[in-house]
């Protein structure tokens, strides 16, 4: 992809996702994810309706007039985006690939955090750590994240969510808001997720294609595993083959739901050919 085309794509995603974060998710994000606590801001004169428990008796005695302490939320937070860049993310049977939806959701979340003056960091992973961008603030930083999401070429096509979570734990010491964006075609990460969930506010966003769960009856067709590159001749007209395919997909989905629930973390399921806006908004309101 040349520079001109890349900038055009970045701009297109920026326009769409900033509008969403400004008009839809900004307020919901702020109210969903609280700051570290309350810090002292100022002392002002008591007004009718103020909580009398906030009266500063020393200042009141000095001025012979009731004054109260005013506190405000210590807002600054850090958001970490863990994004799966394995081979299966480059699959799609509708208008766009799964990775395109992942990019849009990640950009929307990043702009929502930036609007609230929070830091945003990025981890791209396959079965290894592909790229780490430390948390920072600002629009230019978010645009860099979007550029990487669009054009980054991973060294591996396989997936290891467990390793990604371990890496997160090693580099993020303070509590963070963590979004893991993947199709979650992997397992054996429950134990590490529990440890991460004790320290951080974690949400798993599963982005999937309708044919990740079900294959149509097309007869004998060659199918390539996006993560291994292996090509298999598959008899899709066989009901048992289709059932086995579906059962494996449901097993991984169930593992995803169960693992995140046990760790006290939230989940969102977003199909690549459907709007993710209602899913995210509904999640924020429920949370």
């Amino acid at each position: 992809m040349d520079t001109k085309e890349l900038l055009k794509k970045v701009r297109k995603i920026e326009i769409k996702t900033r509008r969403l974060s400004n008009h839809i998710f900004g307020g919901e994000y702020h109210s969903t994810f609280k700051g570290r606590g309350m810090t002292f801001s100022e002392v002002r004169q008591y007004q009718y309706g103020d909580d009398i428990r906030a009266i500063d008796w020393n200042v009141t005695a000095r001025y012979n007039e009731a004054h109260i302490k005013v506190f405000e939320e210590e807002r600054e937070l850090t958001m970490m985006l863990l994004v799966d860049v394995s081979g299966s993310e480059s699959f799609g049977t509708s208008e766009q690939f799964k990775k395109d939806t992942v990019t849009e959701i990640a950009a929307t979340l990043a702009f929502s955090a930036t609007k609230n003056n929070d830091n945003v960091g990025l981890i791209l992973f396959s079965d290894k750590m592909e790229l780490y961008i430390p948390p920072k603030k600002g629009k230019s930083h978010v645009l860099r994240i979007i550029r990487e999401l669009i054009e980054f070429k991973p060294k591996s096509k396989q997936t290891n969510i467990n390793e990604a979570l371990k890496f997160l734990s090693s580099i993020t010491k303070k509590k963070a808001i963590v979004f893991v964006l993947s199709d979650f075609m992997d397992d054996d990460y429950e134990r590490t997720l529990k440890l991460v969930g004790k320290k951080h506010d974690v949400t798993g966003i599963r982005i999937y294609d309708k044919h990740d769960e079900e294959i149509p009856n097309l007869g004998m067709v060659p199918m390539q595993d996006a993560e291994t590159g292996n090509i298999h001749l598959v008899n899709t007209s066989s009901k048992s083959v289709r059932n086995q395919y579906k059962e494996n997909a449901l097993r991984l989905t169930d593992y995803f739901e169960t693992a995140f629930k046990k760790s006290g973390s939230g989940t969102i399921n977003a199909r690549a050919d459907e709007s993710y806006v209602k899913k995210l908004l509904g999640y924020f309101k429920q949370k």
Side-chain angles (χ1 to χ4, degrees):
M1 189 184 300
D2 61 34
T3 305
K4 188 176 179 181
E5 186 183 353
L6 173 62
L7 292 174
K8 189 177 177 181
K9 280 198 169 189
V10 171
R11 181 62 178 158
K12 185 178 178 181
I13 290 172
E14 179 194 359
I15 291 169
K16 180 177 181 179
T17 57
R18 279 193 79 179
R19 186 167 62 243
L20 287 172
S21 63
N22 288 339
H23 299 296
I24 300 175
F25 297 116
E28 297 297 339
Y29 170 87
H30 183 94
S31 60
T32 301
F33 301 107
K34 303 298 183 184
R36 296 194 187 102
M38 304 301 287
T39 56
F40 174 74
S41 175
E42 61 178 341
V43 173
R44 64 165 171 79
Q45 282 186 307
Y46 176 85
Q47 297 174 1
Y48 178 76
D50 284 338
D51 188 344
I52 61 171
R53 291 174 295 182
I55 291 176
D56 186 321
W57 294 107
N58 291 329
V59 177
T60 297
R62 191 182 311 151
Y63 291 99
N64 201 28
E65 191 175 9
H67 282 70
I68 67 164
K69 291 180 180 179
V70 179
F71 294 85
E72 62 183 21
E73 183 184 358
E74 189 183 355
R75 175 63 224 176
E76 185 176 295
L77 296 168
T78 295
M79 175 191 287
M80 289 301 302
L81 299 169
L82 272 70
V83 178
D84 182 355
V85 290
S86 62
S88 61
E89 296 301 325
S90 297
F91 176 72
T93 58
S94 54
E95 292 183 5
Q96 60 182 19
F97 294 137
K98 286 183 281 187
K99 69 176 183 179
D100 298 325
T101 303
V102 166
T103 298
E104 286 188 17
I105 293 176
T108 301
L109 293 169
F111 277 123
S112 295
T114 298
K115 184 176 172 63
N116 283 277
N117 203 35
D118 292 342
N119 298 288
V120 185
L122 177 70
I123 295 172
L124 300 183
F125 70 93
S126 54
D127 60 343
K128 61 185 74 175
M129 290 310 99
E130 296 279 355
L131 177 71
Y132 170 53
I133 299 179
K136 280 179 64 177
K137 297 179 184 179
K139 176 185 170 183
S140 60
H141 180 66
V142 173
L143 293 178
R144 183 199 169 187
I145 286 174
I146 294 172
R147 285 198 302 272
E148 294 293 354
L149 288 167
I150 292 171
E151 71 167 354
F152 186 81
K153 299 288 187 276
K155 294 182 177 68
S156 174
K157 291 186 176 183
Q158 298 186 47
T159 312
N160 192 320
I161 294 169
N162 194 53
E163 287 302 312
L165 293 169
K166 283 182 179 179
F167 180 78
L168 171 76
S169 291
S170 70
I171 53 95
T172 310
K173 301 305 179 185
K174 292 182 179 179
K175 181 179 179 180
I177 300 164
V178 178
F179 289 97
V180 187
L181 294 92
S182 174
D183 53 15
F184 290 92
M185 290 188 174
D186 187 28
D187 53 18
D188 197 27
Y189 53 82
E190 182 180 333
R191 186 178 177 183
T192 306
L193 181 61
K194 278 184 180 179
L195 296 174
V196 172
K198 286 179 181 178
K199 184 175 182 181
H200 304 294
D201 189 330
V202 185
T203 300
I205 305 181
R206 176 176 162 261
I207 296 95
Y208 66 101
D209 186 271
K210 58 184 177 182
H211 289 307
D212 282 339
E213 298 182 333
E214 214 166 313
I215 50 174
N217 184 349
L218 299 171
M220 194 72 76
V221 294
M223 297 179 71
Q224 184 177 32
D225 186 318
E227 300 202 355
T228 65
N230 295 333
I231 298 174
H232 305 276
L233 200 59
V234 179
N235 182 13
T236 61
S237 61
S238 167
K239 191 173 181 179
S240 64
V241 168
R242 295 200 304 275
N243 286 343
Q244 188 177 0
Y245 183 92
K246 188 173 184 176
E247 284 170 11
N248 185 58
L250 293 175
R251 178 186 65 80
L252 291 174
T253 302
D254 182 65
Y255 183 89
F256 159 69
E257 295 280 0
T258 303
F260 273 79
K261 186 176 181 180
K262 284 183 178 179
S263 71
S265 305
T267 59
I268 301 172
N269 287 282
R271 213 170 85 174
D273 61 336
E274 295 177 348
S275 172
Y276 56 82
V277 176
K278 288 184 179 179
K279 297 286 180 73
L280 286 179
L281 196 57
Y283 175 76
F284 283 163
K285 285 183 176 179
Q286 182 186 8
K287 189 173 171 67

